[in-house]
Amino acid sequence: MAVSDKFVSLDTQTRATSDNGSPKINRGFTAFALILFVVGTLYLGFAVSWTMALLYLVGGILGITLYHARYGFTSSWRNFLTNGRGVGIRAQMVMFLIANIVFLPILLVGHAFGHPVAGYVYPVGFSLLAGAFLFGIGMQVADGCASGTLYHTGGGDVRGILTIIGFIIGSVLGSWNFAWWQSTPHFQPVSFLTTFGNVGGFLFNVLLMAIVFVTTIIIERRKHGKIESFVAGGKSGLKGIFRGPWSLLAGSIVLALGNAVVLLLSGKPWGGHFSVRAVGRKNWNLVRAARDELGILADTSKRACITFICSF
């Protein structure tokens, strides 16, 4: 299903441009973002931990990367299915390759900075199929996945706020009935490193990525006669780094390395939905705390009224 013509696709260029075609800089917003970076880092460093402060900075860098490279995960697959263009998918395969190379020694060691390090290995079953189907519909309607929605919203597209609210509500509902979903039919978790060994698991991953990479080339060349390059489109020099745009290749490299830093600092790879779940869980806890507090106040008021009436 194609994107409706009644809405502006989030895959298109949204930044303002000057008369010569170069992107304009919103100096007020840029200054605010820099202040937020500095203040947020110092606050987390002194109030929580410097590990969280570093993760905060890495998250900001990953967001900048997504924005400057216009790096879309689900949009790349949608573009391939609807238009036969696979440049975004090929860029993702390069990112996965770099991540596999960097992740492998970290996972083999199993710990970093005093805490365990592990990847995400979860069962595949009915819950995943149902969630993926519903999530796919939502991404098509909202024109973006979690990471794409976040960086587009950060870039000034306020439509994404509704999608973020939906993410938060859905995460709370999912956490509420998580145990039931886990009880539905599923296969046991599979780790290629455990199944095929360290070298065999790595090579099997590379084989899968190569198949996807080559398949997109074949299909795109048959449909369009030539393929788009994920190296082109970026500007060089310091000006290009800070103002963009970046090539998809540059985005793939930074995202893979940034993900490795997140793995080292937190013990888990970067997940675009974790922060959304955390916000939803904290807000739900606040609602429950407020409800309990109101219940205590109501009970206290009731007892006080009974005592007052009985005193007569």
Side-chain angles (χ1 to χ4, degrees):
M1 181 173 61
V3 180
S4 173
D5 296 334
K6 296 180 180 180
F7 299 93
V8 179
S9 173
L10 295 182
D11 300 332
T12 59
Q13 184 77 10
T14 56
R15 68 183 73 186
T17 56
S18 58
D19 294 335
N20 59 8
S22 60
K24 289 183 178 180
I25 295 180
N26 188 328
R27 300 186 184 277
F29 184 81
T30 303
F32 173 76
L34 290 175
I35 294 173
L36 194 62
F37 265 122
V38 174
V39 174
T41 302
L42 293 176
Y43 170 77
L44 289 173
F46 287 107
V48 184
S49 70
W50 288 106
T51 299
M52 289 300 300
L54 289 175
L55 286 171
Y56 177 78
L57 285 178
V58 173
I61 294 173
L62 293 176
I64 292 173
T65 302
L66 291 170
Y67 178 72
H68 277 326
R70 293 169 61 199
Y71 208 98
F73 292 97
T74 55
S75 61
S76 296
W77 289 89
R78 182 181 61 201
N79 194 27
F80 178 69
L81 293 174
T82 57
N83 302 320
R85 289 294 187 183
V87 60
I89 297 179
R90 291 192 291 276
Q92 291 178 27
M93 296 304 107
V94 173
M95 180 192 67
F96 292 150
L97 175 62
I98 298 173
N100 271 260
I101 295 173
V102 179
F103 273 39
L104 183 60
I106 301 174
L107 294 176
L108 292 181
V109 173
H111 59 84
F113 303 111
H115 57 75
V117 173
Y120 291 124
V121 182
Y122 291 118
V124 176
F126 176 77
S127 61
L128 178 65
L129 294 176
F133 180 77
L134 294 174
F135 195 71
I137 295 175
M139 287 186 294
Q140 178 65 24
V141 174
D143 206 6
C145 60
S147 56
T149 300
L150 288 171
Y151 89 76
H152 277 115
T153 305
D157 195 328
V158 296
R159 296 174 300 166
I161 295 177
L162 293 175
T163 305
I164 295 174
I165 295 175
F167 268 118
I168 294 174
I169 296 174
S171 297
V172 173
L173 295 177
S175 300
W176 177 56
N177 55 19
F178 182 75
W180 182 86
W181 284 108
Q182 288 295 95
S183 66
T184 58
H186 60 270
F187 296 101
Q188 293 301 314
V190 176
S191 170
F192 292 156
L193 295 181
T194 303
T195 304
F196 302 110
N198 298 331
V199 177
F202 171 76
L203 293 178
F204 187 72
N205 263 335
V206 173
L207 176 62
L208 294 178
M209 289 180 282
I211 292 174
V212 175
F213 191 97
V214 174
T215 300
T216 62
I217 292 178
I218 295 174
I219 295 177
E220 184 173 348
R221 185 166 288 163
R222 284 180 178 177
K223 189 167 185 177
H224 299 281
K226 60 180 180 179
I227 63 173
E228 294 179 332
S229 172
F230 53 76
V231 180
K235 291 186 177 181
S236 59
L238 290 176
K239 189 175 181 179
I241 292 176
F242 290 103
R243 300 186 62 174
W246 297 1
S247 67
L248 286 173
L249 176 61
S252 296
I253 295 173
V254 176
L255 289 175
L257 297 179
N259 200 353
V261 174
V262 172
L263 177 66
L264 286 170
L265 292 175
S266 67
K268 293 290 184 180
W270 165 47
H273 306 89
F274 174 77
S275 59
V276 177
R277 290 197 302 269
V279 171
R281 186 172 60 251
K282 289 183 180 296
N283 287 333
W284 177 248
N285 290 336
L286 288 175
V287 171
R288 293 181 63 182
R291 181 199 63 186
D292 295 340
E293 187 68 24
L294 289 175
I296 294 174
L297 291 175
D299 186 65
T300 303
S301 299
K302 180 180 178 180
R303 291 176 182 273
C305 290
I306 293 175
T307 302
F308 178 79
I309 294 173
C310 290
S311 64
F312 290 94

